Amino acid sequence: MKKNIIHVVESTATGTLSMIKVLANEQSKQGHKVTIVYSKRPETPSNISDLFLTEIQLINLQMSGIKNKLLTIFRLRKIVESNSTGCVFLHSSFAGFIGRIALLGIDVRCFYIPHCISFMRKDINKIQKQVFIFLEWLGSIKKCDYIACSESEKVEIQKYIPFRETHLVENAVDTVLWSNQLPWLERKNQVITVGQIRLQKNPEHFAEICRLSKSLNLGFDFLWVGDGDDLKAKDLLKNAGVNVLGWKKPDEVRKLLSESKIYLSTALWEGLPVSPIEAMLSGCVALLSDCAGNRDIILNEENGFSFTNSEQAVAVLNRIQNDETLGLNISSAGEQHAKNHFNLERYIVEMNRLIDKDK
């Protein structure tokens, strides 16, 4: 049965935008009427409309600032009521809160995808965490199912919001688009990461691993694809010897990944990050910090490597540098795991099952 589907998103950048693009385009291909209500951020792509099929309607509602936040509640409510909507998807914490308040009293199927729920953050104290949990409770006045993007996130949501149903639908990637093009042994000795330079991604730890690797003359070059407002963190990376490339177009990112041997994530926390999966599909060996989200992607020593400190990460780099067969085998196992487990077909089937399910 064809439905009217509305996606509401304030965080139109990075992995959140990637997942909305995937889900909305596939729903449109299936014949659903799809509308995206979004807010622009400084990091929002200028060509955002080019990311979506022409059949999809995009409505810009700026949600920053107190006045816009209040207006969003009334404007969003009007949009939903005028669309005879079958279901609404709310993406990330802000849209999840404002959206549920706006939908109070409207009989509509509601799904909230936090893309890493706010109280999982590691940069907040106990009081701030309790505030975030309280806001989730307040937003839950509106009946709305949670969709966790990883097992780690599902466990956290069920722990603190046990009175709302939580489904697990792990993130997915277009496996054909990110397919491996260059044999692993022919690649450059490059360690790469992709993402915004901010505390969550722990650039300080990335710089430390780079410094330690270079002090041991392991022969790896370190690349950070992305940018951010944290000038201190950028200087830290550059001073350690990391080549900070800034934001690149998707085809440029694919080329850089296909030329690199290792994908390094030093994140402090994640929902279920898309970039490491794209890197694994591109043939990189995944070397990921042992944090929520990252640990849901790989099995250590089977299809990737996990670490808890810089010494462990550098020890893995040293092993790979001295045993190319190890790197080749983990690269191959990681690529196959990503294809089998994080493919788009599985993701869409699971999402369709949810929206077709009776209330």
Side-chain angles (χ1 to χ4, degrees):
M1 181 179 175
K2 305 308 178 187
K3 293 180 171 63
N4 289 341
I5 299 174
I6 292 179
H7 293 271
V8 183
V9 55
E10 183 269 339
S11 178
T12 47
T14 62
T16 301
L17 181 57
S18 295
M19 293 316 304
I20 295 168
K21 173 187 171 184
V22 163
L23 182 56
N25 283 338
E26 287 300 317
Q27 289 171 337
S28 180
K29 288 178 185 176
Q30 293 172 2
H32 300 297
K33 179 187 175 184
V34 179
T35 302
I36 298 175
V37 180
Y38 73 100
S39 180
K40 288 183 180 179
R41 284 183 170 192
E43 62 269 27
T44 299
S46 58
N47 65 333
I48 187 170
S49 61
D50 295 340
L51 302 178
F52 300 97
L53 298 178
T54 55
E55 293 82 4
I56 296 176
Q57 181 185 16
L58 271 69
I59 300 175
N60 179 219
L61 278 188
Q62 284 308 107
M63 304 178 195
S64 60
I66 295 176
K67 180 180 178 181
N68 283 336
K69 286 177 171 62
L70 294 174
L71 288 175
T72 295
I73 294 175
F74 299 103
R75 290 169 177 168
L76 180 58
R77 188 177 182 88
K78 185 175 180 181
I79 290 169
V80 173
E81 288 179 326
S82 65
N83 271 274
S84 302
T85 305
C87 59
V88 177
F89 286 87
L90 307 171
H91 297 268
S92 293
S93 297
F94 177 77
F97 179 78
I98 290 293
R100 284 179 291 175
I101 298 301
L103 297 178
L104 282 172
I106 300 177
D107 184 21
V108 63
R109 192 82 192 278
C110 177
F111 296 100
Y112 167 32
I113 311 178
H115 299 283
C116 190
I117 199 157
S118 57
F119 52 74
M120 287 179 68
R121 290 168 52 177
K122 300 300 181 184
D123 61 337
I124 56 175
N125 58 39
K126 290 182 179 179
I127 294 176
Q128 289 171 313
K129 181 172 181 174
Q130 290 303 316
V131 169
F132 284 136
I133 292 171
F134 170 75
L135 290 173
E136 289 295 336
W137 278 48
L138 187 60
S140 293
I141 293 172
K142 169 65 180 176
K143 183 180 180 182
C144 183
D145 289 3
Y146 283 80
I147 300 179
C149 64
S150 69
E151 181 64 32
S152 293
E153 185 181 35
K154 181 182 179 184
V155 168
E156 289 297 303
I157 294 171
Q158 289 181 321
K159 179 179 179 181
Y160 292 105
I161 308 139
F163 47 84
R164 286 292 176 226
E165 189 168 4
T166 303
H167 311 277
L168 173 62
V169 181
E170 291 179 308
N171 285 345
V173 173
D174 186 335
T175 56
V176 175
L177 183 64
W178 292 92
S179 60
N180 178 15
Q181 299 295 325
L182 186 66
W184 193 84
L185 293 175
E186 296 178 16
R187 295 169 181 237
K188 301 173 185 177
N189 281 337
Q190 287 182 170
V191 177
I192 189 171
T193 199
V194 180
Q196 192 171 8
I197 300 174
R198 58 183 178 185
L199 179 62
Q200 180 205 348
K201 302 299 183 181
N202 205 352
E204 182 178 352
H205 198 183
F206 194 93
E208 184 181 347
I209 292 170
C210 176
R211 259 194 313 270
L212 186 54
S213 173
K214 289 184 180 297
S215 72
L216 298 174
N217 296 314
L218 296 186
F220 286 102
D221 293 323
F222 286 73
L223 310 179
W224 189 300
V225 181
D227 209 336
D229 296 328
D230 192 337
L231 299 180
K232 183 179 177 181
K234 272 196 279 192
D235 287 341
L236 193 67
L237 289 168
K238 291 176 181 178
N239 292 337
V242 178
N243 187 4
V244 179
L245 301 179
W247 294 113
K248 297 291 181 181
K249 295 178 181 178
D251 58 335
E252 294 174 315
V253 175
R254 284 193 289 273
K255 184 175 186 295
L256 287 165
L257 288 174
S258 70
E259 294 173 345
S260 303
K261 285 187 174 179
I262 314 291
Y263 185 92
L264 172 63
S265 168
T266 51
L268 293 169
W269 74 92
E270 296 279 9
L272 193 130
V274 171
S275 291
I277 300 171
E278 293 171 344
M280 291 165 71
L281 289 167
S282 302
C284 297
V285 170
L287 178 57
L288 312 180
S289 58
D290 185 23
C291 71
N294 274 354
R295 69 173 64 103
D296 298 283
I297 296 176
I298 61 168
L299 292 173
N300 188 36
E301 305 263 351
E302 291 188 24
N303 46 40
F305 295 98
S306 64
F307 64 92
T308 57
N309 56 52
S310 300
E311 289 74 20
Q312 289 179 356
V314 173
V316 171
L317 294 177
N318 191 34
R319 286 174 62 191
I320 292 174
Q321 188 72 320
N322 291 305
D323 184 358
E324 286 191 323
T325 301
L326 172 65
L328 178 63
N329 290 340
I330 295 295
S331 165
S332 178
E335 184 181 351
Q336 195 58 51
H337 174 66
K339 285 180 179 177
N340 293 341
H341 199 76
F342 300 109
N343 63 78
L344 191 56
E345 292 76 16
R346 184 271 307 163
Y347 182 76
I348 297 303
V349 166
E350 292 178 1
M351 282 294 189
N352 283 345
R353 191 176 297 141
L354 288 181
I355 65 175
D356 290 338
K357 184 180 176 182
D358 292 335
K359 291 184 183 180

